[in-house]
Amino acid sequence: MFNRNRGLRRVAAIVSISSLVTGCGILSSDSSEDEGPIVVGTTSAPSTLDPAASWDGSWELFRNIYQTLLSYPNGATAPQPDAAEECAFTDSTNQVYRCELRDGLTFSNGDRLDARAVKHSIDRIKDINVNGGPAGLLGSLERVQAPSEREVVFHLNKPDATFPFVLATPAMSIVEPGSYPAKELREDGQVVGSGPYTLESYEDGERAELVRNDHYEGFADRENKAVTIRYFKDSAGMVKALRDGDIQVTYRGLAADDVVTLQGKAGRDEELQLVEGSGTEISYLVFNPEDPWAGRKEVRRAVAQVIDRAAIAHTIHQDTVDPLYSMVPKGLTGHTTGFFDDYGDPSVPKAREILTGAGITERVPLTLWYTTDRYGSETAKEFKEIKRQLDSSGLFRVTLKSRPWKTYVTGYQKGEYPVFGRGWSPDFPDAENFIAPFVGEQNALGTPYPAPEITGELLPRSRRESDRANVEREFERAQQIMLDDARLLPLWQGKQYVAANADISGAEQAMDPSTIMMMWRLSRKTSW
C-alpha cells in the first residue's frame, strides 16, 4: 500500500451500449453471442499485461482475464472466494492466512492451476519488485507456503486483517509458472490466465479482444461470449465512437460535460439509459512541509478555511462529484466530516484571523502544481478556480504550474512542489486504504509524513481486527490527526456513471466495489 504511483481514475465513468441489431427479429439471451462481441470503450489503457508490474488502470483488464484467490461476487463488499474454495485466518493474531483452492482448476492453456502456481505468482511480485509496482501491497507478507496441491498458506510479519482485501486486488492475479519467469517480467504481449475470458488478441493502446475462457471455474456467471475493449485518447473521441455506433460501452474517462449531456434530452433522444452510483475516488491537495510557506500549519489551515468545495463540485464538475470533508470518503466505515465540522462554510474573515494570529499580515505566496494528462479535462479548470478563490480572498497570491504525469511524478517525489494536486482510487474498499498510503517516512506521496500515533498505534491496532465494523474509532482518530495537521486537504469525491442503450442489460451491476468493470455482467436484452 506504500510507494504507489498511480493516479485517480477519471471521475466520470460511463457505460453506454448501442444495439448492433437492425431490423426486426427475436433476440434471446443467446443473441449477443450470435451477433459478436460487445464493444467497450475506455481511456484507461493498460501499461502492462503482467500483473507483477502493475499498480494502475491495467487492473481493469486483469480482472477479466486473470483470476485471484478472492474477489467480489455480485453485490459483495467484502472479499469472497474465487479461485479459492475457502480462505481464513488460522490464528488469533491475523498473521497466518490459509486458502484451499477449488478442485480441478486449470489455466486457459489447459495447464493445472495449483498451490505452486499461486506461490509462484505472489513470490515473483516481491522478487521482481517493479518500481511503483504492486510489491508495495505486500508489506506485511513474510513468506508463502504451498504444503499441498490445493493448500496455500501466507505468513505475515505483523497482524493484518486487511490482507484478504490485498489478495482480492487484480495485482494478485494468478499466472502460469511456465509462461511467467520468476525473476523477470513477461513482455511478449501474450497472456495465460484462468479468468472468465482469454485474451485472444491485443494491440497496445488500441484494443483488446476477449473471448470466453472454456477452462474457467469461478463465481462469474458470464452473460456474453466475447468483449472487445477499445482504448481512446480522450472523451471526445470516445463519445463520438459511441454515437456513431462503433462502440457500445464506455466506462472510463468521460468528461463532466458528456455526463451532463447524457443526463439531459440528448441522452434520452439517443435512447441511452444513465445510471448514477456512488464512488470512492477522491481528489485532494498535498502541502509540502519543507516549503517555507506551505510548511506552516497556519497557512494550510487558512487555505482550508477559504476553499469552497461546493463551488468546485458545482461550477467545475457540474455536480458529477460531491464535496469531500475527510480523506476517507462517504460510504466507508469511519468516514467523518472533520473539515466541515472545524471550518464550516468558507470564510475569509476566519482565514485572516488564523494568519494574523500567527503574525502573518502580508499576502502569502503559494505555487500550486497540477498534472495535465492524468485526472481529466476538468483538472486545469479546477486549479484555476482554486487560484481564483484564494487570490480573491486578498490573503494569498497564487501561481499555477503544470506538467505531464511522467515528469509531474518525478517532481513531487523530489519535493519540488509547495502544493500539488493528487487523486486516489482505492486498492480495496476499506478506510485503511485512504490513510495508510499517505503517512510514514515512505508513502505514496513522496513527501515524508511522520504520524507516529497513526503508524505506531492506530493502524497496527486496526489491523488486528477482522471485523472492519469494529475499527471505526481508530479511523476517526486518524482522521482527526490528519485534520489537525492539515497536510492533506480533501476536495471532492467522485461518482460512478453507467450509461447503456435500451438493448443492454447488466450495466448497473457491472462495477465491483473498487469501480473495476466486470465485463461478464454485460448482455443484450431479449426483445422484438
Side-chain angles (χ1 to χ4, degrees):
M1 282 161 271
F2 302 95
N3 300 321
R4 183 173 92 164
N5 292 331
R6 72 182 274 234
L8 175 66
R9 297 185 182 106
R10 295 289 298 275
V11 171
I14 161 174
V15 177
S16 182
I17 298 148
S18 323
S19 174
L20 295 179
V21 182
T22 56
C24 299
I26 299 176
L27 301 179
S28 68
S29 60
D30 293 331
S31 65
S32 61
E33 301 178 4
D34 298 335
E35 295 165 8
I38 292 175
V39 185
V40 179
T42 176
T43 61
S44 181
S47 62
T48 177
L49 295 181
D50 191 331
S54 172
W55 201 349
D56 59 19
S58 305
W59 288 10
E60 301 278 7
L61 180 59
F62 294 173
R63 178 62 82 200
N64 293 278
I65 60 176
Y66 293 107
Q67 197 172 15
T68 46
L69 289 171
L70 302 169
S71 191
Y72 297 96
N74 301 331
T77 57
Q80 304 295 324
D82 186 4
E85 186 172 273
E86 61 180 6
C87 291
F89 282 104
T90 61
D91 65 331
S92 60
T93 62
N94 293 330
Q95 287 186 257
V96 181
Y97 195 73
R98 178 188 177 277
C99 291
E100 184 172 343
L101 297 177
R102 292 175 185 260
D103 190 23
L105 290 175
T106 60
F107 289 100
S108 57
N109 64 357
D111 287 355
R112 183 174 177 79
L113 192 168
D114 56 14
R116 181 180 65 91
V118 176
K119 174 176 167 56
H120 173 85
S121 301
I122 304 300
D123 282 346
R124 69 189 295 267
I125 294 173
K126 296 190 73 173
D127 291 341
I128 297 173
N129 195 22
V130 171
N131 184 29
L137 284 164
L138 296 172
S140 65
L141 178 62
E142 183 174 298
R143 69 185 189 278
V144 187
Q145 290 182 310
S148 66
E149 285 192 350
R150 292 178 58 195
E151 185 181 11
V152 186
V153 181
F154 301 91
H155 296 270
L156 309 184
N157 53 36
K158 54 190 172 185
D160 187 359
T162 68
F163 190 71
F165 290 91
V166 173
L167 289 180
T169 67
M172 304 299 127
S173 295
I174 305 168
V175 299
E176 195 270 313
S179 303
Y180 292 80
K183 303 295 183 180
E184 60 185 28
L185 297 175
R186 181 176 184 176
E187 297 178 340
D188 62 359
Q190 303 298 310
V191 165
V192 179
S194 60
Y197 300 94
T198 60
L199 186 63
E200 186 173 64
S201 67
Y202 181 74
E203 295 178 62
D204 187 23
E206 296 294 331
R207 69 174 59 230
E209 295 184 2
L210 281 56
V211 297
R212 186 180 294 188
N213 177 13
D214 293 333
H215 294 276
Y216 172 71
E217 293 289 339
F219 73 84
D221 185 10
R222 291 161 293 185
E223 302 291 340
N224 60 65
K225 206 167 193 177
V227 173
T228 294
I229 305 173
R230 287 186 53 191
Y231 301 109
F232 292 84
K233 301 298 183 185
D234 54 41
S235 175
M238 186 169 63
V239 171
K240 183 179 186 303
L242 174 67
R243 290 186 164 129
D244 289 347
D246 296 331
I247 63 176
Q248 289 79 58
V249 182
T250 70
Y251 74 98
R252 280 288 175 229
L254 196 71
D257 286 344
D258 293 315
V259 173
V260 172
T261 298
L262 289 167
Q263 285 174 328
K265 185 175 184 297
R268 293 191 295 273
D269 289 346
E270 294 172 289
E271 298 185 347
L272 296 174
Q273 50 179 311
L274 188 70
V275 179
E276 177 184 317
S278 59
T280 51
E281 303 93 340
I282 69 170
S283 180
Y284 56 97
L285 294 179
V286 183
F287 293 87
N288 186 345
E290 301 302 318
D291 181 78
W293 288 107
R296 300 187 65 172
K297 183 185 294 188
E298 295 82 7
V299 170
R300 303 194 297 264
R301 293 182 59 228
V303 172
Q305 185 64 74
V306 170
I307 290 290
D308 189 339
R309 296 167 178 80
I312 293 171
H314 178 69
T315 304
I316 306 302
H317 295 279
Q318 303 181 66
D319 299 316
T320 61
V321 305
D322 288 325
L324 182 64
Y325 298 95
S326 168
M327 289 298 291
V328 176
K330 293 180 293 184
L332 296 183
T333 297
H335 165 74
T336 67
T337 55
F339 276 89
F340 185 81
D341 298 338
D342 279 22
Y343 294 99
D345 292 326
S347 171
V348 172
K350 289 181 180 179
R352 181 178 291 110
E353 184 178 346
I354 292 171
L355 292 174
T356 56
I360 302 172
T361 56
E362 70 271 36
R363 293 182 69 165
V364 175
L366 287 177
T367 300
L368 273 59
W369 283 82
Y370 63 93
T371 181
T372 58
D373 58 354
R374 188 69 172 185
Y375 302 133
S377 58
E378 287 82 17
T379 303
K381 297 176 184 177
E382 177 180 314
F383 273 76
K384 288 178 182 177
E385 171 62 15
I386 293 173
K387 170 179 167 60
R388 186 199 66 77
Q389 292 179 10
L390 294 176
D391 284 348
S392 64
S393 72
L395 304 176
F396 301 94
R397 185 173 66 254
V398 173
T399 301
L400 293 182
K401 292 187 178 182
S402 61
R403 285 177 179 170
W405 177 251
K406 287 186 177 180
T407 54
Y408 184 76
V409 172
T410 302
Y412 72 66
Q413 289 178 337
K414 290 182 177 179
E416 296 177 2
Y417 310 149
V419 187
F420 60 97
R422 277 295 310 266
W424 191 257
S425 189
D427 304 312
F428 49 85
D430 190 275
E432 148 104 13
N433 200 233
F434 290 88
I435 294 174
F438 308 133
V439 295
E441 290 297 327
Q442 289 185 314
N443 59 55
L445 303 174
T447 56
Y449 182 3
E453 185 178 348
I454 296 178
T455 58
E457 299 178 29
L458 299 174
L459 289 176
R461 193 159 70 227
S462 73
R463 289 167 180 161
R464 298 187 189 102
E465 180 55 67
S466 297
D467 186 345
R468 306 307 287 166
N470 292 334
V471 295
E472 186 171 2
R473 285 186 295 179
E474 284 80 6
F475 290 138
E476 287 177 351
R477 174 57 187 157
Q479 289 171 87
Q480 183 63 48
I481 292 169
M482 298 170 84
L483 169 65
D484 294 340
D485 293 340
R487 286 274 304 273
L488 306 173
L489 183 63
L491 295 174
W492 51 259
Q493 174 176 350
K495 300 177 184 179
Q496 279 187 46
Y497 290 95
V498 176
N501 183 276
D503 292 331
I504 292 296
S505 66
E508 63 276 13
Q509 291 96 27
M511 292 289 185
D512 78 3
S514 295
T515 68
I516 293 175
M517 178 170 277
M518 302 175 288
M519 300 293 180
W520 59 86
R521 296 292 297 163
L522 302 174
S523 66
R524 293 183 176 89
K525 295 178 181 177
T526 300
S527 62
W528 289 92

